[in-house]
Amino acid sequence: MQNPSNAALRRIKKMVSYSPKNIQKMLLLGWGLGISVGAFSQQNLSTDCKDCQQLSEVQVFGFSPEKFMAGLKVQKIDSINLARFQYQNLSEFLQFQAPIALKSYGSGQLTTISFRGTSANHTAVLWNGLNINSPTVGLSDLSTIPLMGFDQMAIQYGSSASCVGSDAVGGSILLSSVPNWNNKGINAIIGGQYGSFRSGNLNAGTRFNKSFKMGSLSGKTLFYGGNIRNFNGKISPVDAVRTDKNGREYPIEPSETTQKGFVQDLYFRFNTNKPSSYRLIYLNAWLTDNKLTIQPNIVDFREITQTQAYRIITGTQLDNTSVKLGFIRDILDYGKGDFQNPSHASTDRYIIRTEHDFISHKTAAKQNGPTVRTGGEFVHYATRVDGYGPAIIHENRGDAYALIRKGFDFNGKTNKLITTLNLRQAFSSRYKAPFTPAFGLNFNLFTNKISQLDFLGNIARSYRLPTLNERYWKVLGNPTIQPENGFNKEIGFDYKQLHGQYYKSSISINAFHNLIDNWTYWNPEKNYRVENLQQVLSKGLEINSSLKYNDFQQQRSAGLILAYSLTHASQQKVYDVYSQDLIGKQLIYVPRHAISGSIYYGQKLWNISLQGSFNSTRYFTFDHSGQPFPPYFIINTTFTHKIKIMSQDANLIFQANNLTNTVYPNVKRNAMPGINFQLAAVFNFHQ
């Protein structure tokens, strides 16, 4: 746990200049982008070219990076699924959506995600395009992110640093807010949930869409808050334990988490004389306040951690050019006992990003011509933490990138082959960041009236710049810590088939091989001082399959979704000669086998679903000397029913978690909750 001090950030006093070598590298990258863009865009702008001109796509708001992720596995979550589990946080939702490892410190406590054997620091969490990972610890607590706070979500597996930037070594979570220009009027919503251990939450908000002479205004306003408890108020903090089927005892750690937040999205689209023209200004704001109390009933054992985040984005999109300004403030207060004099840490980020898409005539007409997206981002950090010393720490980081997408036609079929070539160079006033290119392809092997088979392949460099704690923490930090440098390779097949009028199935198989140099590690053998591991390899196989039934006339739907992953993650080289016996052993908290699945059935006004998750043995020591966490399997179920109240409607949601009352531990070796229940009601009011 970091030990920050109480200080107020006043202003940015200076900007740190780039070194001559970094300036030279920027010029070289700019020259390279000029070749790739100039050879294409100059023709676009030339009046002599009859086949090429720069056009604006007929597009929805947003410059999504997924279109430049050819060959990567991207799992998009539909809005119906998000709405069904709207009262869950991101960690609870992801547990049953994909075979990924989640590391939790307990109910309502810090929960992080691990893609393909990598660590939590190797996952980029993006909100409307900006990385919201904490600059001090380098990760996001998924238990503090409510599903109701955003509109779209995608889970991306494997390295995407060339598209996303730092941290995207193992994968990324893409969260987006989007305007809804189709639904006119105002839609208000109010809801609440109550459940086991006296846990509950409330939310209220509105969505609106209004047309004016100049244009259209769309957006949403949302207030939310609640409590998550891991005990019933009568539990003894010392003697309470849960015993698994093998007779192992795990203590129950009483805790209480209070969460509240505010989300505001505003979009104004200007009317133009040209149908293809797009003029937009927007504002996204997300304010959060989360307070975790461990052992709330006994002062001598009590620990309190309060985190706050202020995230604001404003920007404009003019046809294919976007400019985005962002400000993020992360605050952490930590204390024991009565919490009268907590330690305090605060980090401010000032962000500017600009992007432009160059689109050929063929791209606009046939969707197979080249698209080149060029952009740059600059971030200034200003932070003060007790563990860093009394001074405010300033650091500059930036990125310059070019993302290139091209489709190819074969035998009269458009986009038979789609390729992407992505180039990114990161810059830092403290580090020499590696150059990260990536190449990917999607090749359609065959398509007919009822089936389709695609081949996917991707090779990519990745990087992760050190966190502020890793570099500046006086006691355990390391001023000479090196950036991580990864090389990811993966291939896959994606097959889809229709079975008659109502059924469709799909199966995808992906194999990956991710080699990471200078993996950062807080070494418990050296009192948790941070150091670089020489080399770590993560490799494995993933299988996703589904069978779905939809009858829109009868308003019936059903489905079965299964996902499996085999992951082997281990050190390959070590700097310390005394650590040779660690080579080849599975990394801590990484299950070799993970399975997730769900089955659902819905008819007209009601829907029922069953979700399951399995994790195999997990080790918590690098040499596997300690007795590992045993395998566990948990099952949840959700029932929803829509009712009509006059001209309005409401949804009733009942959820039961851990139906088998399985006893399994978390990272702190404490027992996770047994069987528990929640009941929610959501009321919608339409204008």
Side-chain angles (χ1 to χ4, degrees), residues 85 105 149 162 281 338 348 377 466 523 565 574 612 622 639:
F85 301 103
Y105 282 75
S162 60
I281 57 175
D338 57 9
D348 287 354
E377 180 178 273
N523 191 344
S565 70
V574 292
F622 274 86
F639 175 82

Side-chain angles (χ1 to χ4, degrees), residues 151-225:
D151 306 312
Q152 293 180 350
M153 174 183 172
I155 307 170
Q156 178 270 313
Y157 301 74
S159 171
S160 60
S162 60
C163 282
V164 172
S166 179
D167 301 348
V169 178
S172 58
I173 304 293
L174 310 176
L175 311 175
S176 302
S177 303
V178 294
N180 189 341
W181 306 113
N182 297 322
N183 294 337
K184 302 299 181 181
I186 298 175
N187 177 28
I189 182 173
I190 183 169
Q193 182 189 54
Y194 187 79
S196 300
F197 315 126
R198 297 182 294 113
S199 296
N201 54 63
L202 295 170
N203 72 84
T206 180
R207 290 180 179 272
F208 48 88
N209 191 349
K210 178 70 175 177
S211 296
F212 301 92
K213 185 176 181 180
M214 292 179 57
S216 299
L217 176 68
S218 179
K220 73 171 182 285
T221 303
L222 174 67
F223 295 89
Y224 65 89

Side-chain angles (χ1 to χ4, degrees), residues 261-272:
F262 168 72
V263 176
Q264 179 68 71
D265 297 317
L266 292 173
Y267 306 90
F268 190 85
R269 183 178 62 180
F270 292 90
N271 293 329
T272 62

Side-chain angles (χ1 to χ4, degrees), residues 54-63 269-282 316-323 355-359 373:
Q54 188 172 1
L55 297 174
S56 298
E57 286 184 299
V58 179
Q59 59 184 321
V60 186
F61 163 75
F63 281 62
R269 183 178 62 180
F270 292 90
N271 293 329
T272 62
N273 296 326
K274 297 180 180 180
S276 60
S277 183
Y278 200 80
R279 300 287 190 271
L280 181 85
I281 57 175
Y282 59 92
T316 180
Q317 184 173 334
L318 305 176
D319 294 331
N320 295 318
T321 300
S322 70
V323 177
E355 292 183 338
H356 181 77
D357 273 17
F358 295 91
I359 304 172
R373 175 176 302 169

Side-chain angles (χ1 to χ4, degrees), residues 33-49 52-54 358:
L33 300 185
I35 293 177
S36 61
V37 177
F40 168 69
S41 63
Q42 286 180 11
Q43 285 190 342
N44 288 342
L45 300 175
S46 172
T47 57
D48 297 330
C49 179
C52 299
Q53 56 181 323
Q54 188 172 1
F358 295 91

Side-chain angles (χ1 to χ4, degrees), residues 19-249:
S19 67
K21 288 185 178 180
N22 279 344
I23 294 175
Q24 183 182 20
K25 186 176 287 188
M26 290 179 69
L27 294 175
L28 288 174
L29 179 64
W31 175 76
L33 300 185
I35 293 177
S36 61
V37 177
F40 168 69
S41 63
Q42 286 180 11
Q43 285 190 342
N44 288 342
L45 300 175
S46 172
T47 57
D48 297 330
C49 179
K50 297 180 180 180
D51 295 327
C52 299
Q53 56 181 323
Q54 188 172 1
L55 297 174
S56 298
E57 286 184 299
V58 179
Q59 59 184 321
V60 186
F61 163 75
F63 281 62
S64 173
E66 292 100 311
K67 66 181 293 185
F68 295 97
M69 293 180 176
L72 290 174
K73 178 181 176 181
V74 180
Q75 178 183 353
K76 294 187 177 181
I77 307 299
D78 61 72
S79 58
I80 296 177
N81 211 12
L82 289 175
R84 184 183 302 150
F85 301 103
Q86 61 183 287
Y87 277 101
Q88 292 187 347
N89 59 51
L90 192 55
S91 62
E92 295 169 334
F93 179 74
L94 290 175
Q95 184 176 18
F96 301 99
Q97 299 300 315
I100 48 184
L102 292 170
K103 292 190 294 184
S104 175
Y105 282 75
S107 179
Q109 300 188 40
L110 173 66
T111 304
T112 59
I113 190 171
S114 173
F115 277 95
R116 295 178 170 179
T118 58
S119 72
N121 299 103
H122 296 132
T123 301
V125 180
L126 272 66
W127 171 67
N128 292 320
L130 297 187
N131 191 332
I132 61 172
N133 283 350
S134 167
T136 53
V137 296
L139 50 83
S140 292
D141 182 357
L142 304 187
S143 71
T144 65
I145 301 177
L147 287 190
M148 66 182 70
F150 48 88
D151 306 312
Q152 293 180 350
M153 174 183 172
I155 307 170
Q156 178 270 313
Y157 301 74
S159 171
S160 60
S162 60
C163 282
V164 172
S166 179
D167 301 348
V169 178
S172 58
I173 304 293
L174 310 176
L175 311 175
S176 302
S177 303
V178 294
N180 189 341
W181 306 113
N182 297 322
N183 294 337
K184 302 299 181 181
I186 298 175
N187 177 28
I189 182 173
I190 183 169
Q193 182 189 54
Y194 187 79
S196 300
F197 315 126
R198 297 182 294 113
S199 296
N201 54 63
L202 295 170
N203 72 84
T206 180
R207 290 180 179 272
F208 48 88
N209 191 349
K210 178 70 175 177
S211 296
F212 301 92
K213 185 176 181 180
M214 292 179 57
S216 299
L217 176 68
S218 179
K220 73 171 182 285
T221 303
L222 174 67
F223 295 89
Y224 65 89
N227 290 305
I228 304 172
R229 292 184 176 90
N230 191 34
F231 70 112
N232 59 15
K234 301 177 182 179
I235 195 170
S236 168
V238 178
D239 301 326
V241 296
R242 295 194 69 203
T243 305
D244 66 11
K245 61 182 180 180
N246 297 318
R248 295 178 61 178
E249 293 184 342

